[in-house]
Structure formats: structure tokens, C-alpha cells
């Protein structure tokens, strides 16, 4: 159980275009999903927290108008990188958390396989 | 100072060795501690999860948390070449605006050679 998928697994786009990345929880409903980016040989940096049916909460320094997040259903969140630039090239990873009221294990997050974005 | 510090390694050990991976942290609000394994170009996979202080064992893996020292460890016994990966520690506070948010260490690159 607790499988999270991402699509696409890798994408190349031209500078100035937009690209959408999907994150799906396949066997559970995720009220909360998280988006991370990871540069080579570095750790995961949280970009934003996505809650179903409400606006995403962005971390300090992350441009909300550039990284658009939509969490339209309990199994799907999307990240759109708008007007992409080469410096946006990175590994983008989403995670989903199962809602388990009162359970300590509700802090467990399950990660997708990641999407490698290259902007040329 | 980063909230979570982890020695990036790289760490190279022979097959069968005991591996010790460690993280220190500065935020006393952290209550939940996790270890993830990440293979190259893949998403992290949850290995161990611990709440508050103490030990937890799962097969060849043992996680230890010492909240008084703000120090956590992951031990891998009888290490195998398939254990070669990057190991990330992650932590979360108990509530408020930090609810559910994970703070990661830098990751330690481990290679187990036959």
C-alpha cells in the first residue's frame, strides 16, 4: 500500500514555456501533499504544502506565481512551473500523507519517484 | 546553523559490515524521526519511523533517538551491496504550523562493496 506516482518521470522544455507535473496517491486518499525540489547531491527542500480544496502554503523564498499548485481531488495534486528558466532545472518530488486522526504514524509521508525537469 | 546536520560522506564499507549513520538537530520541537533510503534518480523510500526517544528495530535496521542529545542514528547490520544508496534523516514537529512538514538532513551516500 501507500503508493505515490508522478508523471512525467522526466521532461525537457524550452525556456519560457510552462510544464505541469502530476502527483497521484494510488491506493489511499491524501488530504495533504508536499512538493519538494532536490538539486544534485543535495537534500530535499520543501517548496509548498498542498491541501485538498484550499490554496497551497508556500515556503519562504518560493515564488507562488511561478510554481502553481492545484490539489483538486484527494488523489491528485499538480505543480506547474510557469515561464521556466534553466535555473528551474531540478528533480521535483512530491509526497503524500495518509490522514490518520490521532495516530502518530500520520506523520509518515510516502514519496513519488520524482520528475526530472531540464529547461534548455 | 542548519536545523538538521548529517555527514554527507561518502561512506564506503565492505559487505557484511555494520554501518552507522547519524544526524544531529537543533530544534527541540522535533518529535518524529524518520530514515529514508533514496536510490539514484528515485524518490525516497521510508525505512524507519520513530516517535520520541528510544530504539526501534526492523530486520537488519535499528533506529535510535536520543532527544536529550538531539542525536539520532540508523544502524545497518550485515550490510549488503543492495544497501548502497543515499540515506536521509528527516524530522517533524508535533503540531501548529509545522504539522506534517519534514526537515531533511543532507543525506549520506553509502556504498557497500562485495
Amino acid at each position: 500500500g501507500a503508493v505515490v506516482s508522478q508523471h512525467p518521470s522526466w521532461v525537457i522544455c524550452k525556456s519560457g514555456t510552462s510544464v505541469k507535473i502530476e502527483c497521484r496517491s494510488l491506493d489511499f486518499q491524501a488530504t495533504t501533499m508536499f512538493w519538494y525540489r532536490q538539486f544534485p547531491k543535495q537534500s530535499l527542500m520543501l517548496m509548498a504544502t498542498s491541501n485538498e480544496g484550499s490554496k497551497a502554503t508556500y515556503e519562504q523564498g518560493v515564488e507562488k506565481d511561478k510554481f502553481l499548485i492545484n490539489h483538486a481531488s484527494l488523489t491528485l495534486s499538480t505543480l506547474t512551473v510557469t515561464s521556466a528558466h534553466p535555473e528551474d532545472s531540478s528533480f521535483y518530488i512530491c509526497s503524500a500523507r495518509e490522514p490518520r486522526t490521532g495516530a502518530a504514524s500520520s506523520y509518515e509521508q510516502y514519496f513519488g519517484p520524482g520528475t526530472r525537469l531540464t529547461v534548455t | 546553523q542548519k536545523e538538521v546536520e548529517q555527514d554527507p560522506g561518502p561512506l564506503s564499507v565492505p559487505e557484511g559490515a555494520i554501518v552507522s549513520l547519524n544526524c544531529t538537530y537543533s530544534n527541540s520541537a522535533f518529535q518524529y524521526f524518520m530514515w529514508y533510503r533514496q536510490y539514484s534518480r528515485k524518490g525516497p523510500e521510508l525505512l524507519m519511523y520513530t516517535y520520541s526517544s528510544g530504539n526501534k528495530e526492523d530486520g537488519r535496521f535499528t533506529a535510535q533517538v536520543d532527544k536529550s542529545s538531539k542525536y539520532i542514528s540508523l544502524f545497518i547490520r550485515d550490510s549488503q551491496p543492495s544497501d548502497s544508496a543515499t540515506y536521509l534523516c528527516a524530522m517533524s514537529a508535533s503540531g501548529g504550523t509545522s504539522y506534517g512538514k519534514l526537515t531533511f538532513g543532507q543525506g549520506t551516500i553509502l556504498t557497500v562493496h562485495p
Side-chain angles (χ1 to χ4, degrees):
Chain A
V3 178
V4 176
S5 71
Q6 276 184 248
H7 178 80
S9 57
W10 63 274
V11 58
I12 301 173
C13 71
K14 292 186 176 181
S15 186
T17 61
S18 296
V19 60
K20 180 185 287 188
I21 302 169
E22 293 184 349
C23 176
R24 294 182 185 271
S25 56
L26 298 184
D27 51 2
F28 66 100
Q29 293 184 329
T31 53
T32 303
M33 291 183 174
F34 302 87
W35 287 95
Y36 297 82
R37 65 187 299 180
Q38 185 178 34
F39 291 106
K41 297 186 178 181
Q42 294 189 26
S43 191
L44 283 76
M45 297 299 296
L46 180 65
M47 299 174 66
T49 302
S50 167
N51 292 299
E52 187 266 339
S54 64
K55 290 184 179 180
T57 302
Y58 291 80
E59 294 300 299
Q60 191 174 8
V62 177
E63 298 175 59
K64 61 179 67 176
D65 294 330
K66 180 170 184 61
F67 299 99
L68 301 179
I69 291 172
N70 187 316
H71 194 157
S73 77
L74 287 171
T75 59
L76 173 65
S77 176
T78 61
L79 168 68
T80 301
V81 183
T82 62
S83 187
H85 289 276
E87 56 265 31
D88 298 325
S89 299
S90 186
F91 194 49
Y92 291 87
I93 307 175
C94 72
S95 71
R97 184 167 58 85
E98 276 191 276
R100 299 181 191 175
T101 304
S105 59
S106 64
Y107 290 89
E108 294 180 24
Q109 290 184 24
Y110 299 94
F111 285 81
T115 297
R116 184 159 302 281
L117 169 64
T118 301
V119 184
T120 60
Chain B
Q1 181 189 8
K2 295 181 181 178
E3 277 193 298
V4 180
E5 297 276 1
Q6 183 177 5
D7 186 345
L11 186 61
S12 180
V13 301
E15 183 175 357
I18 296 174
V19 176
S20 172
L21 304 167
N22 312 292
C23 289
T24 59
Y25 63 96
S26 57
N27 187 347
S28 58
F30 288 143
Q31 297 278 351
Y32 303 90
F33 305 92
M34 284 140 280
W35 285 95
Y36 287 86
R37 177 174 61 195
Q38 185 177 26
Y39 292 112
S40 181
R41 300 190 176 189
K42 300 290 184 184
E45 168 195 10
L46 180 65
L47 279 177
M48 299 284 287
Y49 169 86
T50 309
Y51 170 67
S52 196
S53 286
N55 293 0
K56 186 173 183 179
E57 187 173 322
D58 184 2
R60 296 185 295 112
F61 298 91
T62 300
Q64 289 185 350
V65 174
D66 181 349
K67 290 190 67 182
S68 63
S69 301
K70 294 188 175 66
Y71 187 87
I72 71 170
S73 300
L74 176 71
F75 297 96
I76 307 174
R77 291 184 300 281
D78 188 25
S79 55
Q80 302 296 309
S82 59
D83 294 329
S84 299
T86 297
Y87 290 80
L88 298 150
C89 64
M91 308 176 188
S92 182
S94 57
T97 57
S98 298
Y99 181 74
K101 291 170 57 173
L102 293 180
T103 301
F104 282 86
Q106 297 169 267
T108 299
I109 300 171
L110 171 67
T111 301
V112 180
H113 50 86

